[in-house]
Amino acid sequence: MSEIKLTESAPTEDNGEEKDWAAAKAFFDNLKTNKPRPPKPRYAVTIAVSSRTLFNMVKERKIYEDEGLEKYVAYQMEHESEPLMPGVAFPFVQALMNVNSRLRQLYPDSEELFDIVLMTNNHAQVGVRLINSINYYDLSIERFCMTGGESPIGYLKAYMTNLYLSKNSDKVTEAIEEGIAAATMFTADTDNELKIIVKQHGLDTFFEHEQEFENKPLAQVP
């Protein structure tokens, strides 16, 4: 079963909303993706990506801002079978999964290099559409964390996150201040491949270099 981490409560407008959250949480705990969950790789690079960065939820966000939480949740439930459109981090996540797939072909006995965690502060009932979208695009994401509106920092630390990707610059800044490498993503203009130059020294040397500098944040880019 997918690993799902939820907080005990979420920002609510009244007691009825708290009860609704509890019921939705119980339902969400039983959801599964199409892929069985393999053991977490010991030496994987853990990348946490926010749901609004992985998927394009601009329209849904506007409903939330203009019409409120109840209308937002109702819309998501009504469209739970309709996959969300890819967001700015989607090509990057696909690229990481392509690397995992290629490494499994080259080194069948090796563990996966990248482990993806989906971070979201969405209402639990919205998780149905998120998981349906993950299944639709055949993404290898089985680890989910719903923060219930709380800061993601504690959860990022619990998952031993190596990189956090979000559209929210404030959360990215907070993560960096806590020593977690993080980046704000704006546009999806990358290919579905992670282009790694290893012609001079080979793949093993590249991995050795990345391990040596694993705690040094990458330079900022657009």
Side-chain angles (χ1 to χ4, degrees), residues 45-49 53-54 86-100 114-116 139 141 163-166 183 185 187-196 218:
V45 176
T46 298
I47 299 177
V49 57
T53 309
L54 180 60
V88 292
F90 190 92
F92 180 67
V93 170
Q94 277 196 323
L96 300 180
M97 294 178 179
N98 289 341
V99 171
N100 281 341
F114 298 106
D115 183 51
I116 310 297
L139 300 178
I141 301 176
L163 176 63
Y164 172 52
L165 302 176
S166 175
M185 300 200 73
T187 58
D189 54 3
T190 59
D191 297 330
N192 288 346
E193 296 179 32
L194 198 61
K195 293 180 171 64
I196 301 173
L218 294 170

Side-chain angles (χ1 to χ4, degrees), residues 1-207:
M1 181 174 176
S2 304
E3 177 180 340
I4 301 171
K5 186 177 183 62
L6 296 159
T7 58
E8 290 302 319
S9 62
T12 59
E13 297 179 354
D14 50 39
N15 291 334
E17 177 61 26
E18 290 182 1
K19 293 179 181 178
D20 187 44
W21 170 267
K25 175 182 179 297
F27 175 72
F28 191 77
D29 283 339
N30 293 318
L31 294 178
K32 298 180 181 180
T33 61
N34 288 337
K35 296 178 180 294
R37 176 63 192 162
K40 183 183 183 302
R42 289 174 296 172
Y43 307 112
V45 176
T46 298
I47 299 177
V49 57
S50 73
S51 57
R52 290 200 298 128
T53 309
L54 180 60
F55 296 114
N56 185 334
M57 301 177 70
V58 174
K59 178 180 179 180
E60 288 78 6
R61 182 69 180 178
K62 183 172 176 55
I63 293 174
Y64 172 78
E65 293 174 349
D66 294 346
E67 303 181 43
L69 178 62
E70 184 176 349
K71 293 290 186 180
Y72 168 76
V73 172
Y75 177 87
Q76 294 284 35
M77 293 177 65
E78 289 171 4
H79 295 81
E80 65 182 25
S81 298
E82 178 183 325
L84 293 160
M85 295 297 292
V88 292
F90 190 92
F92 180 67
V93 170
Q94 277 196 323
L96 300 180
M97 294 178 179
N98 289 341
V99 171
N100 281 341
S101 178
R102 182 58 176 160
L103 286 176
R104 282 195 298 270
Q105 295 175 5
L106 295 174
Y107 310 102
D109 296 328
S110 68
E111 296 179 328
E112 291 191 344
L113 182 61
F114 298 106
D115 183 51
I116 310 297
V117 178
L118 182 66
M119 303 286 293
T120 180
N121 62 0
N122 264 291
H123 191 284
Q125 289 172 323
V126 180
V128 178
R129 193 178 185 194
L130 290 174
I131 288 182
N132 286 342
S133 299
I134 288 171
N135 288 334
Y136 177 83
Y137 294 109
D138 196 31
L139 300 178
S140 299
I141 301 176
E142 293 81 32
R143 287 153 61 81
F144 308 90
C145 178
M146 298 193 74
T147 67
E150 295 183 4
S151 167
I153 300 303
Y155 303 98
L156 294 174
K157 290 181 176 179
Y159 279 103
M160 295 181 288
T161 302
N162 299 107
L163 176 63
Y164 172 52
L165 302 176
S166 175
K167 293 182 68 176
N168 189 317
S169 59
D170 292 336
K171 290 182 180 179
V172 166
T173 299
E174 186 181 359
I176 293 175
E177 290 175 348
E178 291 293 326
I180 301 170
T184 307
M185 300 200 73
F186 298 98
T187 58
D189 54 3
T190 59
D191 297 330
N192 288 346
E193 296 179 32
L194 198 61
K195 293 180 171 64
I196 301 173
I197 301 174
V198 294
K199 291 183 179 179
Q200 276 190 312
H201 304 289
L203 191 61
D204 291 338
T205 302
F206 167 77
F207 289 150

